[in-house]
Structures are given as C-alpha cells and as structure tokens.
Amino acid sequence: MWIDTHCHLDAHEFGNESVAQAALAGAQGVGMIVIPAVERANFSIVSQLAASIDNGCYALGIHPIYVPNASEDDLRVLREQVAAAMADPRFVALGEIGLDFFIPMLTEPAMREKQVFFFREQLKIAREFGLPVLMHVRRSQDVILKHVRQIPPAGGIAHAFNGSDQQAKTYIDLGFKLGFGGAMTFTRALQIRRMAAELPLDAIVLETDAPDISPAWIHPGRNSPDQIPRIGAVLAELRGITLEQVAAATTANARAALPRL
C-alpha cells in the first residue's frame, strides 16, 4: 500500500475528474490520499471530496499564499470546523499551513507579519486539538522551526522538504516527517536526491502535491496521485532497497505522522 500525504485533489486543474483520479490511484495501490484545504472557501469542498472516494481523507487550514485575503474571522471558522471535524474519521490534520518567503508579495514586511500571525494562530489550534500539521515551508525553514518550537503541535510533515542537513535533523528531532515527491525525480536535484538517499528511512513520507510538482516523466504536465508508486521507485533506486521496502516504510511513516489515518 502507498499513501499520498499531500494532494490537492480538489484543484480546478482536475476539473470533474477528481473522483476518477482517486480511483486510478487506488488501482495503483494508493490506499490513502490526504487532501489539504488552503482557505476557508474550500474547507467543505475537501471534506466532501474525501467522503466521496474510498481512499480519501483531508486536512483543514489556511495556506500562506491565501493569507493576503484571509481575515481573522477565518481563524474563528477554522477552529469551529476543526472542532466539528474531530468526530470525522477522515479528518487527519491541520493544514496546509506555513510560511512562504519566496513569492515577492509575501515577503513585504506587513505580509510577512500577517503570515507569521496566521501560522502561529493555526499552530495554537493544532495544539489545542492534539493535531499534527501539514506545513508549507518555502524559503522559511528556520523561521518555521522557531515557531514550532514555541508552539509545538503533535508532529506532522514538512511538505516538499528542501532544506539543509541540519534543518532536516531539527525537524526529525521535533517529531516531524519530511515529504519527498516529484522534485526528487529530477537528476539535477542533487541536494534533494542526496538527502532522500541518506536521511533515516523512518523520517520520509511520499507525496505528489498534485496537480503541482510533477515528476520528471510528466513535467510540465499535470501531476496526479497515481504517480506515487513510480515516485516511490525512484526513492528505492536512490537508497538501493526494494520497492516493497519503500512502500512499507513510507506507509508506516505516514501513519506515524498522521495517527488519525
């Protein structure tokens, strides 16, 4: 069995194919697809989509790219939705949350401050409900680490990890798993491939971030959750182990990171 720990299956790029894409992934052995929310407007969308497919589960949160248009009332709604969702076995995490200091508009001082405020408030919600977090970490590794030390959630995943060895060790020491996906499949991604090969296997989970971060054999086309086994095969090759070992380990790691799975 495989688990896609991060897939925006509700994205408009899938049109009306989301359910079919989930079924295709299921036929490839992807037993669970985690669908993170990104803003208040899609909280109900991701929960309904997860309920409509056999291999669906979801997370609720406000993505840093959506913070510019978010209001503090969205945080109130998020907390209420999380409280209600705790009774839903398909609800597994708070996410996608985090910090993005790559997009120029988001690096302006006022927007950095707003991002940090929303990130910290969502960490507090995660801590209140004992939930792990799915974290968007782009050009923000050390700042993220500072805040999760101050407001520790119940672990989670550093999505699309692309940090240093020391940052990886710190995440692992704090109880987080590291997400690897399509970026690892490019031969030019030397640092990511080296870390995928050398990090403790029990620290790694697989993800697509579909429809984004397409693997090398699809790029620049639309990514999809059925690519997880082939992405797993790249990890197996990099580490010199069997595909079965990768499937078993990354599935166990995902369940450890997201116990409600």
Side-chain angles (χ1 to χ4, degrees), residues 19 38 41 73 101 124 126 139 141 170 196 199 227:
V19 172
V38 294
D73 192 57
F101 297 151
K124 291 174 187 175
R139 299 273 176 93
Q141 305 277 359
T170 305
L199 283 170
Q227 298 303 313

Side-chain angles (χ1 to χ4, degrees), residues 14 70 78 94 114 136 154 185 202 208 212 233 247 254:
F14 289 113
L78 173 62
L94 201 83
K114 187 176 182 183
H136 176 99
T185 67
D202 65 5
T208 58
D212 298 324

Side-chain angles (χ1 to χ4, degrees), residues 38-39 62-70 96-103 105-106 111 115 136 138 212:
V38 294
E39 61 174 334
I62 300 168
H63 190 296
I65 290 176
Y66 290 81
V67 162
N69 294 320
E96 181 177 355
I97 69 173
L99 298 171
D100 191 310
F101 297 151
F102 173 76
I103 297 172
M105 180 190 74
L106 297 178
M111 201 49 63
Q115 280 196 73
H136 176 99
R138 193 152 65 153
D212 298 324

Side-chain angles (χ1 to χ4, degrees), residues 136-167:
H136 176 99
V137 186
R138 193 152 65 153
R139 299 273 176 93
S140 58
Q141 305 277 359
D142 290 332
V143 183
I144 289 263
L145 286 165
K146 179 182 82 170
H147 294 297
V148 298
R149 283 193 188 98
Q150 293 174 357
I151 310 171
I157 298 169
H159 152 60
F161 183 74
N162 187 18
S164 68
D165 293 294
Q166 183 57 49
Q167 289 162 341

Side-chain angles (χ1 to χ4, degrees), residues 194-260:
R194 181 187 62 77
M195 298 191 83
E198 296 178 359
L199 283 170
L201 182 58
D202 65 5
I204 294 174
V205 296
L206 295 177
E207 60 180 33
T208 58
D209 198 30
D212 298 324
I213 316 187
S214 301
W217 50 88
I218 292 177
H219 184 79
R222 184 188 72 183
N223 199 4
S224 53
D226 63 298
Q227 298 303 313
I228 280 286
R230 194 167 172 187
I231 290 170
V234 173
L235 181 60
E237 182 180 355
L238 289 171
R239 298 188 71 94
I241 59 178
T242 68
L243 190 63
E244 291 74 18
Q245 286 173 303
V246 167
T250 58
T251 293
N253 298 344
R255 293 189 181 281
L258 308 173
R260 290 174 63 94

